[in-house]
Amino acid sequence: MEVKYRADIDGLRAIAVLAVLFFHTNVPGFSGGFVGVDVFFVISGYLITTIILKEIKAENFSIARFYERRIRRIFPALFPVVAFVLVAGAYLFDVNAFGALGKSIAATTLFSSNILFWSESGYFDAPALRKPLLHTWSLAVEEQFYIFFPLALMVIHRYLKGKYFLWILIAFIISLAASIYGVAYKPAATFYLVPTRAWELMVGSILALDTLPDLSKNWQRNVFTLSGLALILFSIFAYTEATPFPGIAALAPVLGSGFIIYGGRRGAHQAQKLLTTRPVVFIGLISYSLYLWHWPLVAFTKYFLFSPFTAIDSAAIIVASLLIASLSWKFIEQPFRGKYPLLQERKRLFAVAGVVMVIASGIGGVIHLENGMKWRYPDANKCMEQGVWEWYVNNIYGDLEQSSNKVIPCKIGDKKVQGNFLLWGDSHAQALIPAFDELSRKYGLSGFIATHSSCPPILAVPRTDKQYNDAEFNQKILTFIDKHPEVHTVILAAGWSDYINSGSGFNKQKIVSNLQITVNTLVRMKRNVVLVGDCPFLGNYDSPRVIYLKKRFGGFYGDVESMAGAPS
């Protein structure tokens, strides 16, 4: 059973997908284009709830038929994208990126990628912006929502006297409250997970109930639709990556979308002049394929380039995305959704869908378990690992992750001379070790290393959130210094900003006061103290990527050093 077609909703889809497309391709002015996903959520909630309620009221709702429609809508366009990402990733990606891609392919296939990406990083982090399937988190949110929502509507119909508005409103308020609270305290989880996104789909569901008063007059419809359009455009142009989102900020695009859908229910409105023009409606029709295809093109380009997009880069990605999406809509989406669709028999459709899911998730799982299959390009991957990670992984300087139970600082530099300095700190201090070792050898010096990840080199560290005893470890380092008077210089290095902003028992005042205590203690022990600011952080594998791509694609990149200094 289909709902009455509304061209203005396709126009609304066009605004949503173009906002996302222009945001991801760095088109100036579209700093809040990510809100296009929220517009999609409202549209989805409205259309799908309308269909379900019509069938429930007609006593012919079928869970099997509902999921058949979802498969026909989602699968045909999605899995060619997954196949493309797999092939392109196998050709282009280094071992780390390809191993991560395998995991995301499996998660995407099982519609759990939102959970995966939540666990890994934030949406706007640089490493996340090179994950070709990152955008599938929104599909996962929808499909997880639609596991329970149809069943909830059936329960309300049969056992709660059909009071849809009351129960959906209660769920809406709870979800919105969780989103407002969570964006301040758990921003990544709030961004990615269903409980804090469900209210956006429920705005559409409430509109589908048809319980709100009709807007019988033209001026009323115009007020709602033009106000809705203004709210959406405001969020697209005014929001940025720094805007706390979703939470309160998401109300603008969500309510704006709801106003447009509500205003167009019973007749024409002023905004239709924009939303129902043929080019806009066409982009709305191809919006799903456009959403799916644009991001892998963006992600692979970001991986391959070491500079911000130029206008030509952005234009090329936009044109390519529109072209591929048009072909996908015409030759992949439409054949599965017409009057006589491919795989018309439901059982066969389910069987094929199941086989595709098993194969795709299995391939992704194997890639992940094989750690990115470094045998694909062994020379490039080996060069990357040797140039960046081998010294750490193979402990060529000794045990860098010392425990509070056994503190034996490692020695670097010229082993023939007595050690006269100590490098004390966390993993950021560890990143400095090769340089200290090389310089020490050059000038005939020697020193010690005392490091442990996530352990700042300050006394009286209050860390109740982990089993590792930072305070005991640092006190034993101090004892080591006291017993070795030849160590006349102590170098303190750490990711200071991480502790200030971590929320793990630290704040700026505690960091500063505890650091002062540590420095004063060392000065009283007649040691020279050198405080090192945080070392530059290029991302999870930006530096290895430079080495890998230079080795993999030879002279295409030119000078490696200039690449390493370029923004990505």
Side-chain angles (χ1 to χ4, degrees), residues 516-527:
Q516 287 176 336
I517 293 171
T518 306
V519 171
N520 291 338
T521 301
L522 291 169
V523 169
R524 284 195 299 271
M525 295 169 66
K526 298 182 179 181
R527 296 317 196 263

Side-chain angles (χ1 to χ4, degrees), residues 247-531:
I248 292 286
L251 284 170
V254 169
L255 293 182
S257 306
F259 285 173
I260 291 174
I261 294 172
Y262 178 48
R265 268 193 327 175
R266 294 292 185 263
H269 53 80
Q270 199 70 26
Q272 279 185 329
K273 293 180 181 180
L274 168 66
L275 297 176
T276 60
T277 57
R278 292 186 67 181
V280 173
V281 169
F282 178 73
I283 292 175
L285 290 172
I286 68 170
S287 60
Y288 176 55
S289 284
L290 183 55
Y291 180 77
L292 287 179
W293 278 102
H294 87 281
W295 178 248
L297 300 181
V298 170
F300 283 123
T301 305
K302 281 181 178 288
Y303 179 85
F304 205 69
L305 296 181
F306 282 82
S307 60
F309 285 164
T310 64
I312 294 176
D313 295 331
S314 298
I317 292 172
I318 291 170
V319 171
S321 299
L322 287 167
L323 178 61
I324 296 172
S326 300
L327 296 174
S328 174
W329 173 75
K330 177 68 175 177
F331 297 108
I332 298 177
E333 285 192 65
Q334 291 296 95
F336 280 90
R337 302 181 65 201
K339 188 175 182 180
Y340 300 103
L342 295 176
L343 298 177
Q344 191 167 358
E345 185 181 348
R346 184 181 298 161
K347 289 183 180 180
R348 182 173 297 178
L349 176 71
F350 283 176
V352 171
V355 169
V356 170
M357 290 181 71
V358 169
I359 292 174
S361 60
I363 291 173
V366 168
I367 293 170
H368 174 60
L369 292 174
E370 288 293 317
N371 298 314
M373 299 178 172
K374 65 174 66 178
W375 46 261
R376 289 174 303 124
Y377 308 110
D379 291 342
N381 282 310
K382 184 178 181 181
C383 180
M384 177 186 72
E385 291 178 345
Q386 288 179 336
V388 181
W389 301 117
E390 186 177 57
W391 66 269
Y392 180 86
V393 174
N394 294 334
N395 289 336
I396 67 173
Y397 297 110
D399 185 6
L400 304 182
E401 296 292 344
Q402 299 173 32
S403 70
S404 56
N405 297 324
K406 186 180 180 181
V407 177
I408 305 177
C410 312
K411 199 171 183 181
I412 59 173
D414 188 344
K415 302 295 177 64
K416 298 177 182 178
V417 301
Q418 189 178 51
N420 59 14
F421 71 86
L422 180 133
L423 175 63
W424 179 8
D426 59 10
S427 60
H428 292 242
Q430 292 170 3
L432 304 175
I433 292 173
F436 273 90
D437 182 51
E438 182 178 343
L439 290 171
S440 296
R441 292 175 187 275
K442 180 178 179 180
Y443 293 104
L445 301 174
S446 177
F448 298 94
I449 309 167
T451 60
H452 188 91
S453 297
S454 300
C455 178
I458 56 179
L459 301 176
V461 186
R463 291 299 289 270
T464 59
D465 64 320
K466 52 186 272 189
Q467 294 181 354
Y468 186 78
N469 194 327
D470 292 351
E472 182 181 352
F473 174 75
N474 287 333
Q475 188 60 49
K476 288 184 177 180
I477 297 300
L478 194 67
T479 302
F480 174 86
I481 296 170
D482 187 47
K483 290 181 177 180
H484 291 77
E486 71 275 13
V487 177
H488 57 69
T489 300
V490 178
I491 303 162
L492 305 178
W496 306 109
S497 60
D498 290 346
Y499 302 112
I500 293 172
N501 301 316
S502 69
S504 301
F506 290 106
N507 58 42
K508 186 174 183 179
Q509 185 176 357
K510 287 182 179 179
I511 287 290
V512 172
S513 62
N514 289 351
L515 182 58
Q516 287 176 336
I517 293 171
T518 306
V519 171
N520 291 338
T521 301
L522 291 169
V523 169
R524 284 195 299 271
M525 295 169 66
K526 298 182 179 181
R527 296 317 196 263
N528 298 320
V529 180
V530 178
L531 185 63

